[in-house]
Amino acid sequence: MPRFSLIVPCFKVQGFLRECLDSVLLQCFGDFEVIAVDDRSPDGCGAILDEYAERDPRVKVLHLPENVGLGRARNAGLPHATGDYLFFLDSDDTLAPGALRAIADRLTEAADPDVLVFDYARTYWWGGTRRNALAEVLAEAGPGTFTAAEYPQILDLLMVVWNKVYRREFVAQEGFEFPPGYYEDTPWTFPVMLSARRIAALDRICLNYRQRRQGNILSTTSRKHFDIHDQYERVFAFVGQRPELASWRPYLHRKMGEHCLDILAKPDRLPPADKAEFFRRTREMFRRHKPAQDALTDGEFGLLEGSWTGYRIRREAARAGQETARRAALVRGAVADRTRSGWAAVHAHRPLDPHLVVYSASSHRGMLGDPAAVYAKARQIAPQLRGVWVVKDEETAEHLPTGVEHVVLGSRRCLEIAARATFFVNDVNWPGSLAKRPGSVHIQTHQGTPLKYMGADLLDKPGARLGFDVPQMLRRADRWDYSLVANRHSELVWERAYPCHFTSLRTGSPRNDVLVNGGDSDFRQRYGIPETDTVVLYAPTRRDYRRSGHVDRIDLARFAADLREGLGGGGLGEGLTLVVRLHPSLATGPARGMGLAELDRRGVLVDATDEPRVEDVLLAADVLVTDYSAVMFDYANLDRPIVLHADDWPAYTASRGAYFDITAEPPGHVARSYRELAWLFASGSWRDEESARLRAEFRERFCEFDDGRAAERVVRTLLLGEAVPGPRIRLPGQATGQDVLTSA
């Protein structure tokens, strides 16, 4: 008996069917059967299904003699299912990699609940991906099981059949089946969810919900949308037969009204001539099923108490109000811009404050990176300097340490500070609205050593610079006075990628001072990692050949298990913790939902993506596994093993471009497949003499100016105007031949 029975009805989806089936058959978890139902499809679906069934015994095909529709096609597959759990997969959608393994593990953890609800992501025909907006409902459900009454928020999720798996015995005992019609999911999901005695949640994206440009039946203009009324009648009939569910009638009554009004409001659902009839039928059903007790009829829901004419008047008034509000907002914005410009102009005539330093990092995300290291050193050795941080909003400001002065970007106070500051320290560009006053000094720290193409070099990489205005970026870079570098490679790259008027300074990277000097990190203590554990840090970068930027290169659950099992005898074994840190640009996208958050909850690994100080994570790690992330250049200062996983290097360089072949000049051993990566750890090669030799050569080249005094060098030389004892660390830059960092 397989663990899962995937029932896949097929009708006119020949263009998507292979992708759907491949996403199932290539899962790392193989204990399943596929029951594919050819709903008398007029295209090539039947032949495709037969082809797959011939080469994979897990695929069974049913050819229906006539077209019966989605719901009854699912019913046709039910008697043939033998798995513990039913999974109704639409044939134009796909499973995410590792989805079945994650679902199976969660079912075991929850002791086989009646229903398991998992997360999904919408994948658009133009390449975009968007995670379910209510994903937090799954995250907040907790590790246990519950009923809908105990956790009613679960019903806020999209009430569809395909974001759940169902215990087959539970479905059989209750006699659930799909009715005919357009909205067949409605009379299935509500009865199932209200009847289930044990529901579990999985905070992981397991399914990609394809948003087709055309062909989606629910986005077709037709009278078939009147079917929603019949389907809710079935729901009310089900509840009427079960006295124990009577308390749900007010909820279902409101849900029905909201659902019908949503269909009515969408422009692509109902023919205009049929909208009045749809409204009247909805109002009749609304009145017929209104609970005996007082039911709320506030907001738009209350429109069902009135007439079609009243509804239209309210809708037109609402649209007019929205347009008026939009225009008013534009006017207010224009006035505010003029006011801010005037305010800035007033302060632009005041003298610069020689002790005022303005800091920002990572597009105003907080006190981070090189600017944070310079700020900390300035407070220590130059307390007469006043440091002010620019943050994007007050929420970000709440995470600043106590006593740190800040201004919010775009505020009047920010304009005032910016107009009077002498020094500006940033690791990315300042907004174009910031005018550079004569006498002010802009210090660009960058965000590490560049491997991938940057700046003007992106002009030949249209995919990587999608939505990125290179000329505008260069105009902003024209304000730089100094560019900090940690090695000669960076110096040459920045002067090529940013052909602007600045001076390159061989200061080293201020944020790496703590790595060179052996600073402390409380990361292990905060995450409960034993000091005796070997910490493997996996830090992948984003991919420009995928619109979302995220590509799963490693099955993290498998990697963690292989590392802990010793990978065949010579590996790390017990006493190991896998820590994962995604690229900051992926922190708020769907990448966290592709398994990382769930694995962190279960203790399989530690998700360190939200750690504000990457230096704390690096200090805690015993070995770094990465692909092409610039974090490797920083980590090399620790002289600890580094392993590169470069299985898609050709695709990465073709889409983004690279300044040199990191696989030919690596900081450690290179794995070009997961098998090679596993072997490196199993054999112990990840820390052998060759690994040490490669790392030493890499450190000599890319950690050349990181001596633990970078922040002090910047403060004393640039902010205080002192001469710093030490070696000559600068070549003449583009802007001037003047040497500003000479020996004392």
Side-chain angles (χ1 to χ4, degrees):
M1 179 184 297
R3 189 59 164 159
F4 299 108
S5 291
L6 290 97
I7 298 176
V8 187
C10 306
F11 183 74
K12 297 176 69 172
V13 289
Q14 63 178 7
F16 309 110
L17 184 53
R18 292 182 186 276
E19 186 180 0
C20 172
L21 294 174
D22 288 343
S23 76
V24 176
L25 299 177
L26 296 178
Q27 290 281 310
C28 59
F29 182 89
D31 188 16
F32 61 82
E33 63 181 1
V34 176
I35 301 170
V37 183
D38 173 17
D39 190 17
R40 195 65 176 179
S41 184
D43 57 7
C45 285
I48 293 172
L49 295 177
D50 290 339
E51 173 193 331
Y52 274 78
E54 185 175 348
R55 68 171 186 246
D56 195 317
R58 295 174 297 181
V59 180
K60 305 173 185 178
V61 181
L62 302 178
H63 294 284
L64 301 185
E66 61 179 353
N67 176 251
V68 297
L70 183 58
R72 286 186 287 184
R74 290 169 177 161
N75 291 340
L78 276 173
H80 300 271
T82 62
D84 297 330
Y85 279 85
L86 302 172
F87 191 146
F88 298 99
L89 177 64
D90 286 353
S91 48
D92 56 350
D93 295 336
T94 58
L95 293 186
L100 291 184
R101 166 59 67 188
I103 294 172
D105 289 345
R106 183 71 182 97
L107 290 173
T108 299
E109 180 188 39
D112 284 5
D114 295 330
V115 181
L116 173 67
V117 187
F118 51 79
D119 203 7
Y120 66 91
R122 296 176 186 266
T123 57
Y124 295 88
W125 61 270
W126 42 265
T129 301
R130 181 168 62 87
R131 188 178 186 181
N132 167 27
L134 295 177
E136 70 275 4
V137 172
L138 297 170
E140 295 169 0
T145 60
F146 50 86
T147 64
E150 292 167 338
Y151 189 60
Q153 295 93 322
I154 198 69
L155 300 180
D156 292 337
L157 298 174
L158 193 61
M159 282 289 101
V160 290
V161 67
W162 42 256
N163 64 348
K164 309 169 184 70
V165 293
Y166 313 85
R167 191 166 57 85
R168 184 168 60 87
E169 291 183 0
F170 163 67
V171 171
Q173 289 169 1
E174 298 289 343
F176 293 128
E177 63 178 7
F178 292 91
Y182 243 32
Y183 291 89
E184 75 290 328
D185 283 9
T186 298
W188 169 279
T189 51
F190 281 117
V192 165
M193 295 299 286
L194 298 183
S195 302
R197 290 171 289 278
R198 298 180 66 247
I199 304 171
L202 173 60
D203 179 25
R204 187 194 195 278
I205 296 173
C206 295
L207 182 137
N208 296 312
Y209 176 30
R210 189 187 300 274
Q211 305 295 289
R212 293 159 66 176
R213 185 171 181 268
Q214 58 183 9
N216 186 334
I217 60 173
L218 292 184
S219 296
T220 304
T221 303
S222 167
R223 279 186 60 86
K224 290 183 178 180
H225 293 283
F226 279 77
D227 173 69
I228 191 65
H229 301 118
D230 293 337
Q231 304 298 6
Y232 270 103
E233 290 289 3
R234 291 185 171 99
V235 174
F236 285 117
F238 178 85
V239 172
Q241 295 168 1
R242 304 206 177 190
E244 69 275 15
L245 300 180
S247 61
W248 286 103
R249 290 186 64 85
Y251 170 84
L252 293 172
H253 180 253
R254 188 176 188 88
K255 198 74 174 179
M256 175 272 295
E258 292 173 346
H259 196 167
C260 291
L261 287 174
D262 181 65
I263 294 171
L264 185 61
K266 284 185 166 59
D268 60 349
R269 296 295 193 267
L270 295 162
D274 295 321
K275 289 190 174 185
E277 180 185 352
F278 186 89
F279 177 85
R280 287 192 291 270
R281 286 189 56 179
T282 300
R283 183 182 59 190
E284 291 169 4
M285 187 167 63
F286 171 81
R287 292 173 176 174
R288 185 165 59 254
H289 292 289
K290 187 173 182 179
Q293 63 269 37
D294 292 336
L296 291 175
T297 55
D298 56 327
E300 188 169 344
F301 185 58
L303 294 175
L304 291 173
E305 294 280 14
S307 66
W308 165 243
T309 301
Y311 168 81
R312 284 194 304 167
I313 292 173
R314 284 281 298 274
R315 289 288 299 177
E316 290 298 328
R319 279 193 286 266
Q322 292 170 357
E323 178 61 20
T324 300
R326 185 187 68 83
R327 293 181 179 180
L330 292 175
V331 172
R332 287 195 300 271
V335 171
D337 287 342
R338 287 195 296 270
T339 302
R340 283 193 292 267
S341 298
W343 186 262
V346 169
H347 287 278
H349 294 291
R350 298 176 63 186
L352 295 178
D353 183 342
H355 297 112
L356 180 55
V357 188
V358 177
Y359 297 88
S360 181
S362 300
S363 299
H364 320 297
R365 291 195 301 110
M367 206 168 80
L368 306 167
D370 289 315
V374 174
Y375 172 81
K377 183 59 67 172
R379 294 192 69 174
Q380 177 186 346
I381 66 177
Q384 70 273 27
L385 296 177
R386 176 190 175 193
V388 180
W389 281 85
V390 177
V391 294
K392 61 182 180 180
D393 49 38
E394 286 295 351
E395 182 179 355
T396 303
E398 292 176 0
H399 298 286
L400 294 175
T402 303
V404 174
E405 187 177 356
H406 75 276
V407 291
V408 175
L409 182 68
S411 66
R412 179 178 293 184
R413 183 62 176 157
C414 178
L415 295 172
E416 178 183 345
I417 290 292
R420 302 224 37 219
T422 296
F423 301 101
F424 293 81
V425 183
N426 202 342
D427 60 5
V428 294
N429 264 316
W430 292 99
S433 58
L434 177 62
K436 187 177 190 300
R437 292 187 62 186
S440 65
V441 178
H442 284 238
I443 303 168
Q444 172 61 235
T445 72
H446 304 287
Q447 292 183 324
T449 294
L451 171 62
K452 60 188 177 184
Y453 276 9
M454 305 291 287
D457 290 327
L458 290 175
L459 289 171
D460 291 331
K461 296 293 180 181
R465 61 178 174 86
L466 181 65
F468 183 62
D469 189 335
V470 174
Q472 181 186 66
M473 177 271 301
L474 293 179
R475 286 192 294 272
R476 293 178 179 181
D478 282 333
R479 294 172 296 189
W480 300 353
D481 292 291
Y482 300 106
S483 168
L484 309 187
V485 300
N487 47 66
R488 298 169 201 259
H489 162 77
S490 296
E491 183 174 67
L492 294 175
V493 166
W494 297 136
E495 295 192 2
R496 162 184 163 158
Y498 297 96
C500 306
H501 298 287
F502 58 81
T503 298
S504 295
L505 301 183
R506 296 178 175 180
T507 58
S509 294
R511 71 176 183 278
N512 287 342
D513 288 349
V514 67
L515 304 181
V516 176
N517 297 327
D520 296 327
S521 170
D522 63 349
F523 179 83
R524 288 179 179 243
Q525 180 181 359
R526 287 188 287 110
Y527 284 86
I529 302 173
E531 289 300 323
T532 55
D533 266 20
T534 298
V535 172
V536 178
L537 171 61
Y538 176 52
T541 193
R542 65 176 291 118
R543 299 302 197 271
D544 290 289
Y545 59 77
R546 182 69 61 85
R547 183 180 289 269
S548 67
H550 176 68
V551 180
D552 277 320
R553 308 309 311 175
I554 292 178
D555 182 335
L556 295 176
R558 178 184 178 187
F559 189 39
D562 285 347
L563 290 172
R564 290 195 176 96
E565 291 171 6
L567 295 164
L572 298 172
E574 294 297 328
L576 174 136
T577 297
L578 175 62
V579 175
V580 178
R581 182 180 175 85
L582 298 179
H583 189 277
S585 67
L586 303 176
T588 57
R592 304 283 282 280
M594 297 299 291
L596 183 56
E598 175 65 9
L599 293 174
D600 177 84
R601 183 193 66 79
R602 289 169 44 205
V604 175
L605 50 76
V606 172
D607 178 9
T609 304
D610 289 334
E611 275 294 305
R613 283 174 42 88
V614 67
E615 306 90 79
D616 289 340
V617 185
L618 299 182
L619 285 166
D622 297 295
V623 53
L624 170 67
V625 179
T626 187
D627 35 41
Y628 326 115
S629 172
V631 76
M632 74 178 86
F633 298 99
D634 301 332
Y635 189 76
N637 281 287
L638 293 170
D639 196 19
R640 299 174 188 173
I642 301 174
V643 175
L644 290 189
H645 183 237
D647 65 331
D648 66 339
W649 177 245
Y652 182 85
T653 54
S655 62
R656 178 67 192 227
Y659 290 110
F660 66 96
D661 186 352
I662 190 65
T663 65
E665 305 173 75
H669 287 297
V670 179
R672 298 185 183 273
S673 67
Y674 179 78
R675 183 177 181 180
E676 292 182 9
L677 178 65
W679 180 85
L680 285 173
F681 281 96
S683 64
S685 300
W686 61 281
R687 54 182 174 184
D688 62 10
E689 291 183 3
E690 177 65 7
S691 171
R693 183 189 68 80
L694 292 170
R695 186 168 68 253
E697 293 178 356
F698 191 84
R699 291 179 65 239
E700 182 177 2
R701 179 180 178 187
F702 295 109
C703 303
E704 183 180 5
F705 306 139
D706 281 335
D707 61 356
R709 296 187 60 193
E712 179 185 0
R713 192 172 291 123
V714 172
V715 173
R716 292 194 182 280
T717 305
L718 298 183
L719 304 187
L720 298 180
E722 300 176 0
V724 178
R728 182 185 181 92
I729 60 168
R730 178 193 166 275
L731 289 177
Q734 301 181 56
T736 174
Q738 180 184 2
D739 198 346
V740 297
L741 291 180
T742 57
S743 303

